Amino acid sequence: MKVRTRSSAIIGALFLAVTLPLTLTTASAEEPSAQVVLTEVARAQGPSAGAAGPDGKVWIAERAGTVRVLGDYGLSDPVLDISDETTTDGERGLLGVAFDPEFAHFYISYTDLEGTSTIDEFAVADGQLQPDTRRTVLTQEQPYPNHNGGDIKFGPDGYLYIAFGDGGSGGDPHGNGQNLDTLLGKILRIDPTGGEPYAIPSDNPFVAQDGAKDEIWAYGLRNPWRFSFDAGTGDLLIGDVGQSEWEEIDWAPASSKGGENYGWSSMEGNHPFRGGTEPANHVPPVHEYDRSGLGCSVTGGFVYRGEAIADLAGSYVYSDYCDGTLRTLRIEDGAVTEEGDLGVQGGEVISFVEAGDGELYVLAIGGAVSRLDPA
């Protein structure tokens, strides 16, 4: 593991902007509209995830194991390099990064050389990682090199949420999605600094329930590749990648006590999967789309809470890895009231990043780091 302080040597930024209209469809007589562009602000090597960091900077993770800081003219030299500790076969690599709310700790989510999902923590002082403080918080063995999930976020409650896929292969052969005795196919909720190696919040939904892991917050997920919390409301939104026919976005209000069952692998979206029976406690997706028309792998995004694009305020922005078009949803009381198409193409969109000011960045696995701007 190599940790370096930020270098003054940075990559010159490439600025590319294409102006296209934002078009939203709604039952309302007045349809909101805006003009937006994607501005390419940097190039990275396989950008995979990002997080808002200290001093208003955005930190970008590269799948092979490096982390760089986005500045005015591009990306810094790596401030973290674990490329000799991870592997990029299948869907593995450095898959998620997060800061705690006080920017006192930095967390990384990656698969090690054996393919084990690993969450590590670093202390942060004066905006710099402290390499000697590195410790492993949580690990989870993965039976296959796909559906590792790997996204991590701090919720409004200050706890760390971790997304794991069902373990991989296809069709959930081990039945992990509906099995509460495994962390696979779940979103977890832990207190990383409350114990050694972590503490479990006492109000987690399955605490002390026989046959269930205390860390579980929600289950019935296939590959919750990207999830986020609405910075305005605290609502949780999950982009769960489908098997063969349906991509879905799941939603839970900020008032949720956890325990939601999103259905996999009995259900794929709103549809029974391979003759499965809908669980009595199934929480259906707030939105789904047919793979035959819009793509093949949903990339969950964020509810836009920035100030630069007024007409996007409150809209959930997401994409699809195979389609690349940026799309929007407006959600009220757990129901979609508007669907929109931003009219811009982000390439093979693998992730979104929400900056500290609420503006959104789009990461394409081919290397583009772009900001969503007004035209």
Side-chain angles (χ1 to χ4, degrees), residues 25-104:
T25 58
T26 174
S28 170
E30 296 183 7
E31 296 185 1
S33 61
Q35 295 289 320
V36 300
V37 297
L38 274 178
T39 304
E40 185 174 307
V41 297
R43 299 290 299 183
Q45 295 294 318
S48 56
D55 302 320
K57 301 293 186 181
V58 170
W59 291 39
I60 301 294
E62 295 172 312
R63 187 180 168 209
T66 48
V67 178
R68 303 174 188 268
V69 180
L70 182 64
D72 293 337
Y73 301 100
L75 293 170
S76 73
D77 285 346
V79 296
L80 176 67
D81 185 347
I82 61 163
S83 56
D84 57 351
E85 300 178 46
T86 190
T87 176
T88 57
D89 67 309
E91 297 171 4
R92 294 168 169 167
L94 177 55
L95 304 177
V97 292
F99 284 92
D100 65 17
E102 294 79 30
F103 301 110

Side-chain angles (χ1 to χ4, degrees), residues 45-300:
Q45 295 294 318
S48 56
D55 302 320
K57 301 293 186 181
V58 170
W59 291 39
I60 301 294
E62 295 172 312
R63 187 180 168 209
T66 48
V67 178
R68 303 174 188 268
V69 180
L70 182 64
D72 293 337
Y73 301 100
L75 293 170
S76 73
D77 285 346
V79 296
L80 176 67
D81 185 347
I82 61 163
S83 56
D84 57 351
E85 300 178 46
T86 190
T87 176
T88 57
D89 67 309
E91 297 171 4
R92 294 168 169 167
L94 177 55
L95 304 177
V97 292
F99 284 92
D100 65 17
E102 294 79 30
F103 301 110
H105 297 92
F106 180 65
Y107 295 85
I108 60 174
S109 171
Y110 67 99
T111 51
D112 69 13
L113 295 175
E114 286 71 46
T116 297
S117 290
T118 305
I119 311 297
D120 280 0
E121 174 196 88
F122 295 85
V124 179
D126 299 323
Q128 302 291 327
L129 299 186
Q130 304 302 300
D132 294 341
T133 66
R134 182 181 181 182
R135 72 182 185 95
T136 295
V137 176
L138 182 147
T139 62
Q140 170 62 50
E141 292 184 1
Q142 294 284 351
Y144 304 100
N146 60 335
H147 304 181
N148 295 162
D151 203 7
I152 51 176
K153 297 284 192 303
F154 275 86
D157 53 14
Y159 292 129
L160 180 63
Y161 290 72
I162 301 166
F164 284 145
D166 64 8
S169 186
D172 194 9
H174 302 292
N176 291 325
Q178 292 296 305
N179 180 6
L180 293 175
D181 195 27
T182 176
L183 302 183
L184 296 173
K186 313 296 189 297
I187 287 184
L188 316 181
R189 178 185 186 240
I190 65 171
D191 179 356
T193 59
E196 183 59 44
Y198 59 87
I200 295 171
S202 61
D203 59 348
N204 271 11
F206 300 106
V207 167
Q209 177 174 316
D210 290 342
K213 297 291 188 183
D214 294 346
E215 294 90 342
I216 295 172
W217 179 254
Y219 69 108
L221 294 158
R222 181 178 179 272
N223 190 22
W225 171 245
R226 293 291 174 250
F227 71 95
S228 65
F229 292 93
D230 182 342
T233 67
D235 297 343
L236 171 64
L237 291 121
I238 308 164
D240 193 19
V241 179
Q243 170 76 27
S244 55
E245 296 184 22
W246 298 95
E247 300 298 307
E248 71 180 82
I249 294 168
D250 298 307
W251 175 90
S255 60
S256 168
K257 302 302 181 182
E260 286 87 358
N261 178 6
Y262 293 111
W264 178 257
S265 58
S266 297
M267 305 290 290
E268 184 182 11
N270 287 304
H271 314 272
F273 178 72
R274 295 181 179 173
T277 300
E278 183 175 15
N281 64 342
H282 176 224
V283 178
V286 71
H287 181 68
E288 65 174 15
Y289 60 90
D290 188 339
R291 278 188 167 197
S292 65
L294 294 180
C296 75
S297 181
V298 65
T299 301

